Amino acid sequence: MNKPMLQVNNITKQFPGVKALDRVSIDLYEGEVLCIAGENGAGKSTLIKILSGVFMLDEGEIILNDEKVNIKNPLTAIELGFSVVYQEHRLINNLTVAENIYFGRFPMKRGFVDYRKLNDDAQQILNRLGMNIRASELVSSLGSSQSQMVEIAKALSVGAKIMILDEPSAAITDSELEKLFEIIKDLKSEGQSFIYISHRLKELFEIGDRVAVLKDGKLVGVEKVSDIDTKKIISMMVGRDLGEVYRPKDREIKEEVLRVENLTNDIVHDCSFTVRAGEIVGFSGLVGSGRSELAESVFGYRKRRAGDIFVDGRKVRIRTPKDAIANGMGFITEDRKTTGVILNKSVAVNTTFAILDKLSRAGFVNTREEKVLVDNYIKKLKIKTPSDKQEAQFLSGGNQQKVILAKWLLTESKFLICDEPTKGIDVGTKQEFYNILDDLARQGIAIMLISSELPEIVGLSNRVYVMQEGRIVKELMEDEISEETITTYSMHEME
Amino acid sequence: MKIKNTFMNLIGNNDPASKFNRKKMLTTLSPVIGLVALFILASSLSNVFLTASNLTNVLRQVSVLGFAALGMTIVIITGNIDLSIIGNVSMSTTLVAVLLQNGWDVVPMILVVLLASSTIGLLNGLIISYFKIESFVITMGMQVVCFGLSLFIAGGRTVIVDNLAPFMLNLASNKLGMIPVMFIILLGFYTVFYIFTKKTKMGRYIYALGGNEEVSYVSGVNVTIVRTTAYILSGLMAGVAGIFTFSRSLCGDPAAGSALGMYVVAAVVIGGTKMSGGRGSVLFTIIGILIIGIINNTLNLVGFEYYAQQIIQGLIIIFAVVISSKKRR
Ligand SMILES: Nc1ncnc2c1ncn2[C@@H]1O[C@H](COP(=O)(O)OP(=O)(O)OP(=O)(O)O)[C@@H](O)[C@H]1O
Ligand SMILES: [Mg+2]
């Protein structure tokens, strides 16, 4: 085999209370897609943030094209030929899509930004990704999966020698992913190399050449994709077999808990649906089909233009999230950073934030009771944190997501909306979360599940609504649910 | 060890000891270190500084600033700012004077003044929440309104009060040992506010609002109520500051509050509370006011010209803010 273009030798990185990386060595060849797998908090993002100059390494060396390099800040990394899609969103909201994609690299003409060229170039990349948005749109008007795609477009536009993608597929659907993979394959044949991180193991087999598995900051091993299977990766990641997980859907479905009639807002039109006690109802559709926006309006987070909401058969007035919660609703939101966690607050504060009313006596928070609840969920969801006092910003992405899950599970709502609940969560914990959801349903909770991961929808839902361009186009009954039917209806041309 | 743990608890971090926590503790402690250094410097620059009467004087001087800065800390923690405080202090001072001049008893006078000053806070909170406008702009306007009200209340001049009740007469000069009673009252307020911000549900909401308003809203928190509460408390403290301003000068000067100027914000920031919101602690604002108080006192003692005092003061404040807000990486 030819020589690797990038060698990472014995890298160690220590954070307060955690050794995020412990003498990890990895190399990358030209024209290769190297995947990195591992549980939440295994050190994947830390590794790439060292390559991209966000963190300094404590020990070890990085060798690029036979030369030892010192990547001291993100600028050096860019100059050395790295481009990165970070796990957490980094777009500037009040700029347009095009401005974000070419930020810092605007095309100039006679001393001014050449906006025509800027927009044209950006539009070209967007089209190539099959994105149905205008380059001149403001990023603030995009949904979170659309901004994820813009983030990818931005990294692609650089044409870097080494492109690093940290969970690019979180919250985007298979058809968008397909476009991304086509592009990766094209660029690969031109000699560009990729580091690809994902918790969806299926993707690793589709796009990867080799897989490196990290566990607790240590490298477990690197394998050729053609030599292994999912089971092997999981056992390397988790340290044991997960076994076949099959959940029967024979839940006892009772009375209707939520009915939505003719809901219309700025994105969705005339949507009507019901969710009953003991039932998990899936919502499927492509990026931008309006699933999250529909949920947001049900929860009072997005303004409704028309439509009625009934809880337990009674028409209710929901104008703010507070109203929704008072009516027994909970909402695991999609976007971690804006509506999920308070980054500079502790795990404990975040976890109990929605149940402080229950947890306080005479206005004072009962911190002893709080600690019991929080520790319980830290254990149950395997939240990797040095203590419940750790600020959320120092948790890995997946572990932040677990904090959000814990927060809403604690509310014991009778109607729970889950919008991409397992985004960024490792396979082991995913199964645990599915068990919890299934349990909740069996206890009579009504669940609305939005997910871009079809196996999740197919494996859990009793019914599925398929959405397309802001409308519910199809309701699938239990015996009709399959990845094929869902895909067909979400792409089906409407008359 | 025990002491350190208690301290870490105090600043909201009781992780098991590690070198990184030590670093964090150092940055949090830097205002305290600054204060100690300043203290030593001041005593070497002037031999009057360490005398009991001068120290008592410093504590008395910083008390008014302390009340105003306490309210400001709460508002800054929510990620907003309250520039109306200094106008509110003026308004309260003149109101005290006019009410006393009209023969009001002390207790109803205090109640009315605090009611008026809190109402200014209430208005700030409601207007900012309702129209979703930058707090900077709204409270700046409210400051001007308050100064206008002060002039109106005072009839355009400084109000002199005859026949003052002994309580008001002695409020500023009373001491417990070496410590002015007003400073002890100040410490009382800080303790109550500390417990309020760190232990209660509303305290959590106040920090959370500054940390991430959107998360608060989605989690079912009425953000208008939280923000308005912070502004009401800030108004309330401006009222208290106004009462003590009067007790020191024994007259109602409609421009009294302007002496506080930007010291209020400076004290909060020097204490380590972040302007971006969600972080900080009211307790450290005490350090902030002491630092400012000692700087002013020393410059006076050493006898600089007024303009030089201003320049040096300004530079030291900038320096202190830079030190206390240095980024951790
Ligand atoms: N800035 C930081 N300060 C302190 N600890 C950190 C910091 N960043 C990461 N960590 C810790 O380092 C460990 C590795 O984190 P990292 O983000 O690399 O995990 P990851 O493999 O990307 O996980 P995920 O799949 O959840 O994204 C975690 O235990 C995390 O809590
Ligand atoms: Mg990560």
Side-chain angles (χ1 to χ4, degrees), chain A residues 15-16 18 20 38-47 55 87 166-167 199 384-386 390 393-399 424:
Chain A
F15 288 118
V18 204
E39 289 179 288
N40 295 130
K44 305 179 296 295
S45 298
T46 306
L47 177 64
F55 294 143
Q87 188 172 8
D166 194 356
E167 294 188 37
H199 287 291
K384 198 174 171 194
T385 172
Q390 180 81 325
Q393 60 180 321
F394 300 128
L395 263 51
S396 78
N399 284 302

Side-chain angles (χ1 to χ4, degrees), chain A residues 211-265:
Chain A
V211 186
V213 178
L214 290 176
K215 181 170 170 56
D216 297 330
K218 297 196 181 71
L219 184 69
V220 181
V222 187
E223 302 280 348
K224 272 222 179 78
V225 165
S226 48
D227 295 347
I228 51 167
D229 56 8
T230 320
K231 260 183 106 166
K232 179 80 201 297
I233 297 190
I234 292 178
S235 74
M236 282 169 84
M237 273 171 65
V238 187
R240 63 188 157 85
D241 279 342
L242 277 184
E244 215 48 55
V245 198
Y246 168 75
R247 261 171 232 87
K249 292 183 187 170
D250 59 342
R251 304 174 187 119
E252 191 190 338
I253 295 170
K254 300 200 200 87
E255 71 290 347
E256 167 191 298
V257 173
L258 180 88
R259 185 163 86 248
V260 171
E261 285 182 358
N262 310 102
L263 192 149
T264 297
N265 63 25

Side-chain angles (χ1 to χ4, degrees), chain A residues 275-293:
Chain A
V275 186
R276 288 169 292 177
E279 185 182 38
I280 298 181
V281 176
F283 281 74
S284 250
L286 300 183
V287 167
S289 61
R291 297 162 301 169
S292 301
E293 287 80 0

Side-chain angles (χ1 to χ4, degrees), chain A residues 231-420:
Chain A
K231 260 183 106 166
K232 179 80 201 297
I233 297 190
I234 292 178
S235 74
M236 282 169 84
M237 273 171 65
V238 187
R240 63 188 157 85
D241 279 342
L242 277 184
E244 215 48 55
V245 198
Y246 168 75
R247 261 171 232 87
K249 292 183 187 170
D250 59 342
R251 304 174 187 119
E252 191 190 338
I253 295 170
K254 300 200 200 87
E255 71 290 347
E256 167 191 298
V257 173
L258 180 88
R259 185 163 86 248
V260 171
E261 285 182 358
N262 310 102
L263 192 149
T264 297
N265 63 25
D266 51 339
I267 307 282
V268 306
H269 309 280
D270 209 17
C271 289
S272 303
F273 65 92
T274 59
V275 186
R276 288 169 292 177
E279 185 182 38
I280 298 181
V281 176
F283 281 74
S284 250
L286 300 183
V287 167
S289 61
R291 297 162 301 169
S292 301
E293 287 80 0
L294 178 60
E296 284 168 6
S297 271
V298 172
F299 197 69
Y301 182 54
R302 183 180 283 265
K303 237 199 168 89
R304 254 181 297 147
R305 287 207 183 127
D308 297 315
I309 297 171
F310 299 80
V311 173
D312 294 334
R314 233 169 2 93
K315 186 168 162 179
V316 292
R317 213 173 90 114
I318 292 179
R319 290 175 52 208
T320 62
K322 195 176 167 61
D323 297 339
I325 291 170
N327 279 297
M329 299 191 190
F331 187 12
I332 298 172
T333 51
E334 178 183 16
D335 195 333
R336 266 204 284 281
K337 236 163 125 186
T338 52
T339 52
V341 286
I342 305 171
L343 287 172
N344 64 14
K345 288 283 144 269
S346 70
V347 170
V349 166
N350 273 292
T351 307
T352 57
F353 193 63
I355 55 157
L356 284 183
D357 281 333
K358 281 185 238 169
L359 210 56
S360 325
R361 308 271 171 284
F364 282 83
V365 181
N366 182 342
T367 42
R368 201 163 305 154
E369 196 180 326
E370 174 177 47
K371 185 152 175 51
V372 175
L373 292 176
V374 174
D375 284 346
N376 180 21
Y377 265 101
I378 288 181
K379 241 189 266 140
K380 205 162 169 180
L381 294 178
K382 300 189 194 71
I383 301 176
K384 198 174 171 194
T385 172
S387 88
D388 62 337
K389 297 285 189 308
Q390 180 81 325
E391 285 181 17
Q393 60 180 321
F394 300 128
L395 263 51
S396 78
N399 284 302
Q400 288 176 10
Q401 183 69 21
K402 292 179 188 176
V403 170
I404 303 172
L405 297 183
K407 165 175 151 180
W408 288 105
L409 291 175
L410 272 172
T411 59
E412 298 176 341
S413 315
K414 65 181 175 202
F415 172 64
L416 184 62
I417 307 174
C418 307
D419 192 356
E420 306 286 358

Side-chain angles (χ1 to χ4, degrees), chain A residues 54 301 345 357 363 370 407, chain B residues 201 204 214 219 278 329:
Chain A
V54 176
Y301 182 54
K345 288 283 144 269
D357 281 333
E370 174 177 47
K407 165 175 151 180
Chain B
K201 186 173 71 174
R204 286 259 176 113
E214 223 46 32
S219 306
R329 184 181 171 186

